Amino acid sequence: FFLVPLGMAFWMSLHNWPLMGEHSFIGLDNYRAILRDTRFWNALRFTGLYTVVVTIAIFAVAFPLAIFIERPRALTNVYRTAFFMPAVIGFASASLLWSWLLNVDSGLFSPAAYDLGLTEKKFNLLATFQPAFWSIIAMVVWKVAGFTMIILMTGLQSIPSELQEAAMIDGAGPFARFRAITLPLMRRTLALALILSVAGSILAFDQFYIILRGGPRNQTLTAVYWIFNQSFVSFKLGYGAALSMILLAILVALSLVQLWLLRKPEGVD
């Protein structure tokens, strides 16, 4: 289910493979064309920016939430359910929901700000790059932070309470315990959450396609969006397959780097 489609995609990438008609073997010509494809490299650059920003934002929200819901307290289960609930919504459905929320006339944010007197007129959050970009970041954090929170919570719960208690007896403060105990013992959990976040961000498509359509002025064109455009709009399936192979290689390299950086030190069980 993985190797056969992967092999077929690589084989397609070596061909001029139109949607209709005969395909012809062209060797590495598609990969040479990628080197001259400025639109793809711009899309890859934007995807990298989006990945860095959204990953930091997700962890900045998910980690405090995980710490908050880790220990049993009043309404803990309610909080866990409420924070996790957006994660069960599909990205396409969430994108459609936020597309309505961000609508300048019939949505929620712009009309509400105008009615409350916070703005002099209704404003279109999707008209220029900065507000459109941060609107997408907000949507993804709302959608994904709960899932990352659950992963981090399991890592926190796996840390023996005796270690924290011993550190408190020795006079270690909350920050010292977090730096010396929590983070080192959560390396594997952090590696899993980080790889999932980075891989999902690099493969981002639904939110940019449904909400922004690559706009404004193609400034939010992601790598996967460009692959989709070349494959299913321009019908250059062979070239789209070659782009997919390049993106796969980037994903594998980034995942290996993350695993290496977050590996456990030698001698630590």
Side-chain angles (χ1 to χ4, degrees):
F1 290 105
F2 174 74
L3 293 178
V4 172
L6 178 64
M8 292 176 63
F10 178 71
W11 179 248
M12 288 179 66
S13 72
L14 302 177
H15 290 73
N16 177 18
W17 200 300
L19 181 66
M20 305 292 291
E22 295 293 329
H23 55 269
S24 57
F25 183 81
I26 57 174
L28 298 177
D29 286 358
N30 282 326
Y31 292 93
R32 296 189 186 97
I34 293 176
L35 298 176
R36 304 186 298 271
D37 190 346
T38 56
R39 185 67 63 84
F40 172 70
W41 295 111
N42 288 336
L44 199 60
R45 190 177 302 113
F46 169 74
T47 303
L49 169 66
Y50 165 76
T51 299
V52 171
V53 174
V54 79
T55 299
I56 293 174
I58 288 171
F59 274 79
V61 173
F63 221 134
L65 290 179
I67 294 173
F68 175 70
I69 67 170
E70 176 202 0
R71 300 299 179 188
R73 57 168 60 91
L75 301 179
T76 296
N77 290 333
V78 175
Y79 293 135
R80 290 175 180 176
T81 303
F83 297 152
F84 181 74
M85 194 172 292
V88 305
I89 304 173
F91 249 112
S93 300
S95 298
L96 288 171
L97 171 63
W98 277 71
S99 181
W100 166 72
L101 292 173
L102 295 167
N103 188 279
V104 65
D105 294 315
S106 59
L108 175 64
F109 301 138
S110 177
Y114 174 73
D115 293 338
L116 292 172
L118 300 177
T119 58
E120 296 181 356
K121 60 180 181 179
K122 294 180 181 179
F123 55 93
N124 188 353
L125 288 167
L126 306 180
T128 55
F129 174 76
Q130 289 289 346
F133 178 74
W134 289 108
S135 296
I136 294 295
I137 296 296
M139 188 276 281
V140 174
V141 170
W142 169 82
K143 168 74 175 67
V144 176
F147 177 75
T148 305
M149 173 198 73
I150 294 297
I151 295 176
L152 297 176
M153 183 190 72
T154 59
L156 289 170
Q157 291 178 337
S158 67
I159 299 174
S161 59
E162 293 82 2
L163 293 177
Q164 299 282 5
E165 294 169 359
M168 292 176 64
I169 293 173
D170 290 340
F175 179 76
R177 296 198 305 272
F178 181 78
R179 179 180 57 83
I181 297 175
T182 303
L183 285 180
L185 294 179
M186 287 186 64
R187 284 179 180 271
R188 290 182 179 176
T189 304
L190 288 171
L192 172 62
L194 186 61
I195 288 174
L196 290 176
S197 178
V198 170
S201 301
I202 290 177
L203 298 176
F205 172 73
D206 298 51
Q207 59 269 39
F208 292 100
Y209 178 73
I210 294 174
I211 299 177
L212 297 176
R213 297 280 177 174
R217 297 186 298 276
N218 290 327
Q219 291 178 295
T220 58
L221 200 67
T222 64
V224 174
Y225 198 153
W226 185 241
I227 293 172
F228 167 83
N229 182 281
Q230 293 299 292
S231 300
F232 303 111
V233 177
S234 300
F235 300 127
K236 297 189 289 186
L237 300 181
Y239 185 62
L243 292 171
S244 299
M245 292 296 102
I246 297 298
L247 192 61
L248 173 63
I250 293 172
L251 267 175
V252 171
L254 286 175
S255 297
L256 291 175
V257 169
Q258 291 174 81
L259 286 173
W260 181 78
L261 291 174
L262 292 172
R263 72 192 188 282
K264 283 198 172 187
E266 294 184 6
V268 177
D269 293 332

